[in-house]
Amino acid sequence: MAIPADENARRVPAAAILAYMTDAFRACGLPEADAKTVAGAMLDADLSGSDAHGIFRLAGYVKQLKSGVFNPRANITVLERGPATALVDGDNGMGHLVMTYAANLAVELARASGVGWVGVRRSNHSGAGSTYVSIPVAHGMAGIYTAVSSSNFMAPWGGAEPLLGTNPIAVGIPAGNEPPVVLDIATSVVSNGQIRTYANAGKPMPEGWVISRKDGSAITDGKKLDEGMFMPMSTYKGSGLAIVLGLLGGPLNRAAFGRDVKDANSPPERESNTGHFIIALDVARFLPPDVFKSEMDRHIHDLTSSKKLPGVDEIRIPGQGRVARRDDRQKNGVPLAPELIKQVDDLAKTLNIAPLSGRS
Amino acid sequence: MAIPADENARRVPAAAILAYMTDAFRACGLPEADAKTVAGAMLDADLSGSDAHGIFRLAGYVKQLKSGVFNPRANITVLERGPATALVDGDNGMGHLVMTYAANLAVELARASGVGWVGVRRSNHSGAGSTYVSIPVAHGMAGIYTAVSSSNFMAPWGGAEPLLGTNPIAVGIPAGNEPPVVLDIATSVVSNGQIRTYANAGKPMPEGWVISRKDGSAITDGKKLDEGMFMPMSTYKGSGLAIVLGLLGGPLNRAAFGRDVKDANSPPERESNTGHFIIALDVARFLPPDVFKSEMDRHIHDLTSSKKLPGVDEIRIPGQGRVARRDDRQKNGVPLAPELIKQVDDLAKTLNIAPLSGRS
């Protein structure tokens, strides 16, 4: 999911964004190491092009921390642990912190047992799923991630009440010389971030993104989002995927799903009890990792070099765009809209930290 | 995926179909127990409404067994085994046999370690994924299944060569009094079985199912399937899912994927080297199974009883239709088209077994 490129965007060095976000979280009461972890996970989204999960979210997170909705000093604990499974309680801390912990635990379990499945309760919004499946991938493992979205925007197929999140699925698979394959998709036709971007810009949405709760007709006016529901991808299939991912990420971990998800009528201070799961799978239990990597490279090359339809520039393999964007942004800075830079500079004043603009 | 109901269909008792298919496989050289297992898995598809994966497939399977493409006396072995993972070699046996074995092994690993991930190589077409996730479900566990289709019908998004199967994903989750949630979907807009059914009936296909390999335009004439490719569900998302499922089910297990999948140019006797994976997850590692079951029931009820869009009879929760169909068909017989009954009766003569029609 990408925020449309803004022609007025300014390139800001990655190191400046990381330092700024770390300061902001420290100012909100996070311990030094936790502030760095959360800022790092958010920068990962900014670098790889999941712009709606990076510094764009900072003001919202700060608000939740300052008002006590998120716990800045979370004590993450392991409630249950088996040879290959664990259940983590996030203590209502920031989702980035909880999921970084859970992903590393899944890798540890997979190292010992071949596969590790870690369920999570009492977490919060954790940004881009690609960030967390990249943790097993960095250890030469495959990763699978889901989140039960902390807001409901989709109905079960045929329904008129939004009782499902756009519960995403992310899958990461290591390769050799080729970039790892990293898929990260919402189970709605388009993600919440993309819909909000159109709505905020006052740009009409294409038909097929949002439908009316009253009669299922198309809603294209972003001002009418409250009357609408997001369309699941591929109709009943996206609804079905959101349900099964939601049940395995939610109720299995005693986390929120369906009518238990916080809504407009919930007390604002109530915690979201966001659920997740993450799986790490050790490739080495199946074949020598070097053989797997070279087979991955061969197959990726076969797909990307295969014949294209007329008018197509490039065949899309999940994750390849991410690596190119990351290289560019590491070198040339992350493009940020002037409005976003102004917003975070204003935020700096309230937090009494150095503004982003002054950093280099 | 359902074959459209035929108004001329005759109801045939489930026990007769099971006995007939068992005899057929025995006549093809399968050991008694294996013949029963395969026939049972195919009947499961017929009972639950996956009609394209039941007795409908029998003549094709018999042909493969008789011509030596499938191995009727497969010696299934475990090549690698860890505390929570295993790699199974199907010895080019029938996929139903291999996947029944793999699913039971996944349950065994999950009982010991919390989760079991079993990869499979050298299998064949195994019918409906719902059959195999129902094995962990019967043990109170969740199950996740994929197959790398033994034929390629989809291109990677933007491509003009069908290098991907319609690699399905199935997920099963146990409930209490409600039917288990069982999702079983192809990653194409519609499944191969449904497309073939339209093509065989000479019925024009809706636009959006199949596109031209030449220019991406819609193909609606079933006679032109050879010039077409199946559309992935939700465009690049279905393509991405088919890729990641295919890589984890194929190359990770040293099974076929991409250009290695058998095609029209392959020698007909070459084995398909079909890959799969199946995961079993023990609910009891996360919370008491009774608590989980009652939470599942509550959430299923919340979804099915929620407000419907105008004109909608029923809110669709994956798996609920299956249970109703199974009850009906167990009691009243499986509806089979007269052409299908004639086909299997003709087959009986070549196999020297009693025809289906004479059984009750």
Side-chain angles (χ1 to χ4, degrees):
Chain A
M1 173 189 53
I3 302 292
D6 186 318
E7 57 196 22
N8 300 314
R10 223 181 80 198
R11 292 279 189 157
V12 180
I17 295 173
L18 183 67
Y20 172 82
M21 292 197 294
T22 306
D23 287 351
F25 288 120
R26 210 193 287 109
C28 291
L30 269 76
E32 174 77 21
D34 291 356
K36 277 188 181 160
T37 299
V38 178
M42 289 172 67
L43 180 67
D44 181 78
D46 274 322
L47 286 173
S48 53
S50 302
D51 298 4
H53 291 305
I55 190 169
F56 176 78
R57 294 265 182 176
L58 183 67
Y61 291 147
V62 166
K63 195 175 156 195
Q64 306 279 48
L65 286 162
K66 284 290 185 186
S67 63
V69 180
F70 293 172
N71 178 3
R73 303 191 80 84
N75 179 26
I76 301 168
T77 52
V78 178
L79 298 176
E80 308 277 350
R81 183 169 176 155
T85 53
L87 174 60
V88 165
D89 185 315
D91 196 22
N92 193 30
M94 291 201 67
H96 311 68
L97 205 60
V98 181
M99 282 314 300
T100 301
Y101 181 96
N104 282 303
L105 179 55
V107 168
E108 188 186 320
L109 294 168
R111 191 72 75 202
S113 297
V115 59
W117 179 305
V118 178
V120 173
R121 59 187 288 214
R122 297 187 65 219
S123 179
N124 281 298
H125 186 263
S126 66
S130 54
T131 300
Y132 307 104
V133 296
S134 296
I135 294 174
V137 166
H139 289 84
M141 297 184 180
I144 303 176
Y145 159 98
T146 201
V148 191
S149 304
S150 45
S151 303
N152 283 335
F153 295 120
M154 297 201 305
W157 187 238
E161 288 181 80
L163 289 174
L164 299 174
T166 59
N167 306 343
I169 179 165
V171 180
I173 312 175
N177 298 319
E178 297 285 345
V181 173
V182 179
L183 178 76
D184 186 0
I185 55 175
T187 44
S188 46
V189 171
V190 290
S191 64
N192 182 34
Q194 203 166 348
I195 286 171
R196 302 284 156 188
T197 304
Y198 271 68
N200 294 346
K203 199 170 150 187
M205 296 176 293
E207 288 195 12
W209 287 15
V210 178
I211 57 171
S212 157
R213 295 182 195 191
K214 212 172 128 195
D215 59 10
S217 63
I219 288 183
T220 56
D221 179 354
K223 286 191 213 75
K224 295 189 176 163
L225 278 187
D226 286 349
E227 302 164 26
M229 317 181 288
F230 297 179
M231 272 287 279
M233 69 174 195
S234 216
T235 69
Y236 71 92
K237 295 189 178 189
S239 163
L241 277 171
I243 290 171
V244 296
L245 293 169
L247 291 168
L248 293 175
L252 185 65
N253 305 319
R254 301 204 201 204
F257 173 84
R259 292 213 185 274
D260 297 345
V261 169
K262 197 172 164 174
D263 68 11
N265 302 319
S266 307
E269 70 281 8
R270 207 197 86 182
E271 67 174 73
S272 70
N273 189 13
T274 297
H276 303 269
F277 71 72
I278 183 155
I279 307 172
L281 179 72
D282 190 359
V283 165
R285 297 282 181 166
F286 295 84
L287 77 179
D290 284 354
V291 176
F292 182 65
K293 285 180 178 174
S294 73
E295 282 293 276
M296 283 290 292
D297 285 353
R298 177 170 71 88
H299 286 299
I300 292 168
H301 180 260
D302 279 353
L303 295 177
T304 54
S305 66
S306 68
K307 203 177 155 199
K308 297 169 194 67
L309 283 174
V312 171
D313 289 333
E314 194 182 24
I315 290 181
R316 183 168 180 161
I317 302 300
Q320 294 210 319
R322 290 166 47 80
V323 169
R325 256 190 309 272
R326 174 179 290 272
D327 288 349
D328 168 57
R329 292 178 175 195
Q330 280 281 19
K331 200 172 145 195
N332 303 314
V334 176
L336 299 181
E339 300 77 25
L340 179 55
I341 295 177
K342 180 170 185 318
Q343 185 197 54
V344 294
D345 281 347
D346 288 349
L347 187 68
K349 284 179 211 155
T350 72
L351 294 174
N352 204 18
I353 62 172
L356 180 62
S357 295
R359 301 175 188 238
S360 61
Chain B
M1 173 187 56
I3 302 292
D6 186 316
E7 57 197 21
N8 300 314
R10 224 182 79 199
R11 292 279 189 158
V12 180
I17 296 174
L18 183 67
Y20 172 82
M21 292 197 293
T22 306
D23 287 351
F25 288 121
R26 210 193 286 109
C28 291
L30 269 75
E32 175 77 21
D34 292 356
K36 276 188 184 159
T37 299
V38 178
M42 289 172 68
L43 180 68
D44 181 78
D46 273 322
L47 286 173
S48 52
S50 301
D51 298 4
H53 290 304
I55 190 170
F56 176 77
R57 294 264 182 177
L58 184 67
Y61 291 146
V62 166
K63 195 175 155 195
Q64 306 279 49
L65 286 162
K66 284 290 185 186
S67 62
V69 180
F70 293 172
N71 178 3
R73 303 190 80 85
N75 179 26
I76 301 169
T77 52
V78 178
L79 298 176
E80 308 277 350
R81 183 170 175 155
T85 53
L87 173 60
V88 165
D89 185 315
D91 196 21
N92 193 32
M94 290 202 67
H96 310 69
L97 205 59
V98 182
M99 282 314 301
T100 301
Y101 181 96
N104 282 302
L105 179 55
V107 168
E108 188 186 319
L109 293 168
R111 191 72 75 204
S113 296
V115 58
W117 178 305
V118 178
V120 173
R121 58 187 288 213
R122 298 186 65 220
S123 179
N124 280 298
H125 187 264
S126 66
S130 54
T131 301
Y132 307 103
V133 296
S134 296
I135 293 176
V137 166
H139 289 84
M141 297 184 181
I144 303 176
Y145 160 98
T146 200
V148 191
S149 304
S150 45
S151 303
N152 282 335
F153 295 120
M154 296 201 305
W157 187 238
E161 288 181 79
L163 290 174
L164 299 174
T166 59
N167 306 343
I169 180 165
V171 180
I173 312 175
N177 297 319
E178 297 285 346
V181 173
V182 179
L183 178 76
D184 185 0
I185 55 173
T187 45
S188 45
V189 170
V190 290
S191 65
N192 182 33
Q194 202 166 349
I195 286 171
R196 303 283 158 190
T197 304
Y198 271 68
N200 294 345
K203 198 171 151 189
M205 296 175 293
E207 288 195 13
W209 287 15
V210 178
I211 57 170
S212 156
R213 294 182 196 191
K214 212 172 127 195
D215 59 10
S217 63
I219 288 183
T220 56
D221 180 354
K223 287 191 213 75
K224 295 189 177 164
L225 277 187
D226 286 348
E227 303 163 27
M229 316 181 290
F230 297 179
M231 273 287 279
M233 68 175 194
S234 216
T235 72
Y236 72 92
K237 294 188 179 189
S239 163
L241 277 171
I243 291 170
V244 297
L245 293 169
L247 291 168
L248 293 175
L252 185 66
N253 305 320
R254 301 205 202 203
F257 174 84
R259 292 213 183 273
D260 297 345
V261 169
K262 198 173 163 175
D263 68 12
N265 302 318
S266 307
E269 70 280 9
R270 208 196 85 183
E271 65 175 73
S272 70
N273 189 13
T274 297
H276 304 267
F277 70 72
I278 183 153
I279 307 172
L281 179 71
D282 190 0
V283 164
R285 297 283 182 167
F286 296 85
L287 77 179
D290 285 354
V291 176
F292 182 64
K293 284 179 179 173
S294 73
E295 282 293 276
M296 283 289 293
D297 285 353
R298 178 171 70 87
H299 286 300
I300 292 168
H301 180 260
D302 280 353
L303 295 176
T304 54
S305 66
S306 69
K307 203 178 155 198
K308 298 169 193 67
L309 284 174
V312 171
D313 290 332
E314 193 182 24
I315 290 181
R316 183 168 182 159
I317 303 300
Q320 293 209 320
R322 289 166 48 79
V323 169
R325 255 191 309 271
R326 173 179 291 273
D327 288 348
D328 168 58
R329 292 177 174 195
Q330 281 280 19
K331 199 172 145 197
N332 303 313
V334 177
L336 299 181
E339 301 77 25
L340 179 56
I341 295 176
K342 182 172 183 319
Q343 184 196 55
V344 295
D345 281 347
D346 289 347
L347 188 68
K349 285 178 210 154
T350 74
L351 294 174
N352 205 19
I353 61 171
L356 180 61
S357 294
R359 301 174 188 239
S360 60

